[in-house]
Amino acid sequence: MSNQSTIEWSAWAASAPGRYVLAWEQAQLDRLVSDIFGYYALQLGLPQLDALRENRMPSRAVVLNAESDLKMLAAFAEYSCIRCDLPELPFASQSVDLLILPHTLELTCEPHRLLREVERVLLPEGQLVIFGFNTLSLWGARQALKGLTKRSFVPAHRKLIAFSRLKDWLKLLGFELNRGRFGCYQPPFMNEQWLTRFACVEKAGDRWWPIFGAVYMITAIKRVRGVRLVGAAPRSSAALAPALPPVATPQTQRRK
């Protein structure tokens, strides 16, 4: 896909449909992550979303690619901020309790490889949360027409990943699907006034045609056959530190 036809997340997040989607996803995450416990939680990409703000794990970090704007680090004052080139993750194997991928698979050229890395770094019984645009929705249909219009509607750098296909990928990697949810049923308008006019379809869509929501959320648990955890998982050392490059935090950026 040419760069001219791709919308950047930073610009799209400030648009009417971007704010609409991010508000729904933030609400889902705030309810979900508050009940997930452990030691280490990671958000991969999309700094416009604060996926871990309601989580209470002692070590939380956001992973940004090398091209991310350093100004976004200010939004994560409570977390460690790590910059690396996806899909490789600079973390020790079986070291992370929670991983959140907010549209990250749509923004990488190697989604299968990134999922394998996710499986590697997650602890047994670790939890994974993924957000993506739904190919069965009106938004997905409009995105599919970008070949004719020469313009994307959503900021995906590759083809959208169908909900059913993603479930198959996760099962092949040994994940057990926990739950799935669709949301954002308003038509794909760029104008906020038109989006507001169709706000009435939100509750109706969630009740009568849930699989046609513009975005989906899927959660999964890493299962390891033959392993039964009794009590806390043993940790020989600080799980993230040995495999990490120098960590840049908002505090260190300001000192510079």
Side-chain angles (χ1 to χ4, degrees), residues 177-223:
L177 303 182
N178 188 17
R179 70 181 75 173
R181 182 174 176 82
F182 295 88
C184 299
Y185 297 92
Q186 297 176 31
F189 295 124
M190 289 298 297
N191 187 287
E192 187 168 5
Q193 183 178 1
W194 280 99
L195 279 173
T196 304
R197 287 184 181 181
F198 284 86
C200 59
V201 306
E202 200 68 34
K203 291 184 178 179
D206 195 39
R207 179 176 182 181
W208 298 109
W209 53 87
I211 64 171
F212 298 121
V215 293
Y216 60 76
M217 176 185 74
I218 186 170
T219 65
I221 300 174
K222 177 182 174 180
R223 301 298 191 192

Side-chain angles (χ1 to χ4, degrees), residues 14-34:
S15 67
R19 293 193 301 271
Y20 168 52
V21 167
L22 291 179
W24 182 85
E25 294 178 347
Q26 188 70 67
Q28 306 308 309
L29 285 165
D30 288 347
R31 287 193 292 267
L32 177 66
V33 302
S34 62

Side-chain angles (χ1 to χ4, degrees), residues 74 100 114 209 212 216 228 244:
I100 299 177
L114 178 57
W209 53 87
F212 298 121
Y216 60 76
R228 182 180 179 182
L244 291 181

Side-chain angles (χ1 to χ4, degrees), residues 32 36 97-99 118-119 122-130 170-171 173-179 218-225 229:
L32 177 66
I36 300 178
D97 299 278
L98 170 64
L99 261 169
V118 166
E119 189 277 335
L122 271 177
L123 280 161
E125 307 300 313
Q127 298 202 43
L128 172 65
V129 183
I130 300 175
L170 292 173
K171 289 178 180 178
L173 289 172
F175 284 92
E176 178 181 299
L177 303 182
N178 188 17
R179 70 181 75 173
I218 186 170
T219 65
I221 300 174
K222 177 182 174 180
R223 301 298 191 192
V224 178
R225 294 182 179 180
L229 295 182

Side-chain angles (χ1 to χ4, degrees), residues 38-40 55-60 78:
Y39 294 94
Y40 301 102
N55 185 259
R56 288 169 282 180
M57 294 189 193
S59 298
R60 294 172 292 170
E78 298 180 0

